Amino acid sequence: MVRLDLGDVHLRRMQEKDIDAVKALIKEGCEGTENRLILYLLTRPLALLMLAILSSILRCVLHSFILALVAPVFIFIIYLKLTIPRSVGILGSSRPYWDYMGSSYQADTEPDLSNPHAGRAKLEKTRRRKKPKEKEKDKTTEREHVDEDELKERAKVAGEVWVADSDGEIMGCVARDGWSRDGVCRICRLVVQSWYRREGLGRLLVQGLESRTKQSGIRRVYAHVPFPSKVGEAFFRRLGYRLQGETAGTTGEEEEEDDDYEEPEKGWLGFPLTKVFVKDL
């Protein structure tokens, strides 16, 4: 783990040149999530019952106890490997795949997220250093002028990706899903590079995006956390989020369902794959 000075972190929109780095970061953040979900589903009582019934049937056909025991589990795992990415998406997104090109469209024109740790002098220095890069991006925009109309349409539904940048290194990212309702949005794909975890960078990304969404009129934010992720649950609770259904400020007490109720992602046999956390801004 590297000691990080949050004052040197620049919170900006993902640009086209950042796509490969963000994809690698997302891949790192997804490692183990899929396997934990599969293990969680395999250990549900209903799933165990169905596997036991199927094994008993195969025992009569195959005349092999080991094969009859292993085959249903193997088939079940293969099925989940093929269907989980399509049903739950990755890291709390409502979609399994992300349109990175659409998300990066005209990203260099967006103002940065606020960073309370950065002094005015550092912000001014960052802006001056960024100007030449903006000119370089103008050339890229000219090269892709042919697809301008297509990118505009894709950008409307692609969502936004924000990155934490320090001296050109992408250390973390967070996204605002393209899905939205009036006054409501969903944040997802929060990932911090392993070297910079537990330094407050995840908190900085989420709070910066919350501040921006509040300025745009959003009053409620949702976050889907993969069901087995205790670390993710604890993180969002520390930021003031509560599990959907709990009374604000009181853990364990249920609140009445409202019009903004967010359905958790569900997988095989309707098992919930995510927990929905909510925060009123």
Side-chain angles (χ1 to χ4, degrees):
M1 187 174 64
V2 178
R3 187 64 184 175
L4 177 65
D5 183 359
L6 294 179
D8 295 332
V9 177
H10 180 208
L11 305 178
R12 59 174 176 80
R13 277 284 299 275
M14 179 192 70
Q15 301 175 11
E16 185 180 346
K17 62 184 176 65
D18 305 318
I19 291 179
D20 290 338
V22 171
K23 283 183 177 180
L25 194 61
I26 293 293
K27 184 178 180 180
E28 177 187 342
C30 291
E31 289 180 355
T33 300
E34 183 180 283
N35 292 333
R36 286 194 298 270
L37 278 173
I38 291 175
L39 180 61
Y40 165 77
L41 293 175
L42 277 172
T43 54
R44 297 306 91 195
L46 181 57
L48 292 173
L49 176 62
M50 294 186 65
L51 289 173
I53 294 173
L54 186 56
S55 294
S56 299
I57 296 173
L58 291 177
R59 175 69 178 85
C60 300
V61 176
L62 300 176
H63 303 289
S64 172
F65 174 77
I66 296 178
L67 189 59
L69 184 64
V70 173
V73 178
F74 180 77
I75 294 172
F76 183 63
I77 291 175
I78 295 299
Y79 171 77
L80 291 177
K81 285 279 187 181
L82 295 175
T83 57
I84 280 181
R86 293 175 175 81
S87 61
V88 70
I90 303 174
L91 300 178
S93 172
S94 61
R95 295 164 295 165
Y97 307 106
W98 195 273
D99 184 0
Y100 290 96
M101 285 297 297
S103 294
S104 63
Y105 176 69
Q106 289 189 344
D108 55 343
T109 64
E110 290 280 347
D112 301 334
L113 297 181
S114 60
N115 181 357
H117 299 277
R120 294 183 178 180
K122 291 184 178 180
L123 289 176
E124 291 299 325
K125 182 179 179 181
T126 302
R127 292 193 186 100
R128 289 196 297 269
R129 189 169 57 239
K130 185 178 176 181
K131 288 182 179 179
K133 295 183 179 181
E134 291 180 347
K135 294 179 180 178
E136 292 175 4
K137 292 305 292 180
D138 290 340
K139 296 179 181 178
T140 304
T141 305
E142 290 175 2
R143 288 198 305 269
E144 298 188 353
H145 184 68
V146 178
D147 300 324
E148 186 82 10
D149 293 335
E150 179 185 350
L151 284 174
K152 282 182 180 179
E153 293 301 318
R154 289 165 59 180
K156 292 178 181 178
V157 296
E160 304 172 355
V161 180
W162 298 85
V163 299
D165 176 12
S166 180
D167 294 328
E169 180 183 8
I170 305 300
M171 300 180 297
C173 67
V174 67
R176 173 180 171 177
D177 202 321
W179 166 95
S180 65
R181 295 194 298 266
D182 290 340
V184 180
C185 77
R186 179 191 293 133
I187 62 173
C188 56
R189 295 185 172 229
L190 173 64
V191 182
V192 174
Q193 203 179 122
S194 57
W195 290 102
Y196 302 104
R197 290 173 185 168
R198 300 186 182 277
E199 293 289 330
L201 188 56
R203 175 189 293 268
L204 185 64
L205 281 164
V206 172
Q207 291 179 337
L209 187 53
E210 286 176 352
S211 177
R212 179 175 176 81
T213 56
K214 185 175 182 179
Q215 292 174 4
S216 63
I218 298 297
R219 290 295 175 264
R220 174 168 288 188
V221 180
Y222 287 102
H224 286 244
V225 178
F227 213 94
S229 178
K230 299 297 183 182
V231 175
E233 294 178 28
F235 171 80
F236 280 102
R237 285 192 184 277
R238 286 196 298 269
L239 291 182
Y241 286 75
R242 69 182 190 279
L243 186 63
Q244 183 173 246
E246 292 178 354
T247 302
T250 309
T251 303
E253 294 188 10
E254 295 185 356
E255 65 176 352
E256 296 182 359
E257 185 175 319
D258 56 24
D259 295 336
D260 288 331
Y261 181 78
E262 174 88 347
E263 283 289 342
E265 300 290 347
K266 295 182 179 180
W268 187 62
L269 296 179
F271 292 130
L273 298 180
T274 61
K275 288 185 177 181
V276 181
F277 283 81
V278 59
K279 181 178 181 180
D280 295 317
L281 302 178

